[in-house]
Structures are given as structure tokens and as C-alpha cells.
Amino acid sequence: MPEIIQDAKTFRAGEAWGARDIARIDGATVRLHWTDQPYKWHVNDGTEVFVVMQGVVDMHYREHGAEKIVQLGAGDMFVAGAGDEHVAHPIGEARVLVIEREGSV
């Protein structure tokens, strides 16, 4: 039976970057995150797809050693490849769908 999720716009975790597991697909996880705090600089061991569902997020990333920032709003996506150093800084509350290799940071 299919799962229907109707509270993605109101989901709130008990702590920043808390998540609800949505699905596992061939070694990848799909998780809905809620946050009102920055994450931490990190590098994934595989591709990560970051989709802003609600709110605004400043995505910081490093390219050739230089820090860059792109602002993402609802519906915007950021794709980090394996080895891409990045960190998300929400502006207020944000809900983010993240698809990445299972067990990734």
C-alpha cells in the first residue's frame, strides 16, 4: 500500500536537523529534515540531493578552496557530488528533503 505524507509543510523535529525517514531506495535514503540551525561543514561519500521544501537556506560550499554561497528557496535544489564540501544555513525554519547514500554523514 502506498504511503501518503500530508504534513511535510508542518513537520517539526525535536531538534535541529532531526529527520523523518521517508524511503530507502537501492542503498539510498530519502529523509525529510526540519531545522532552524546551521548544519556542519561536511563531505559526503556519494552524491547528495538537497531539496528545499519550505523556507530559505543559504548553502555554503567550497570550490577550488574559495567559499561560495547560494541562496535556495522552496523548490530549489542543490546537488553535491562525492567530495564536495558544503554546509546548509537556514534562515529561520526550513524543511528539506535529502536524498543520499544510506549511512552518509
Side-chain angles (χ1 to χ4, degrees):
M1 177 165 222
E3 181 178 2
I4 299 170
I5 299 167
Q6 295 183 303
D7 67 342
K9 291 180 181 176
T10 59
F11 168 71
R12 186 180 177 106
E15 62 186 24
W17 293 102
R20 174 187 293 161
D21 291 335
I22 303 296
R24 286 185 170 75
I25 304 168
D26 295 331
T29 59
V30 179
R31 303 181 82 205
L32 176 62
H33 291 267
W34 171 87
T35 191
D36 61 354
Q37 299 294 316
Y39 195 58
K40 59 184 177 183
W41 279 100
H42 67 286
V43 174
N44 296 84
D45 59 358
T47 301
E48 174 185 45
V49 178
F50 184 96
V51 183
V52 178
M53 303 290 291
Q54 187 176 44
V56 176
V57 176
D58 282 347
M59 182 62 80
H60 299 241
Y61 62 100
R62 292 199 175 111
E63 189 173 89
H64 307 294
E67 184 175 337
K68 298 188 176 192
I69 302 170
V70 63
Q71 190 164 88
L72 306 171
D76 290 337
M77 299 179 202
F78 180 85
V79 180
D84 290 342
E85 191 174 12
H86 59 285
V87 61
H89 287 251
I91 298 172
E93 288 189 31
R95 287 168 183 86
V96 179
L97 192 70
V98 176
I99 302 134
E100 64 188 344
R101 180 179 294 169
E102 191 168 6
S104 191
V105 176

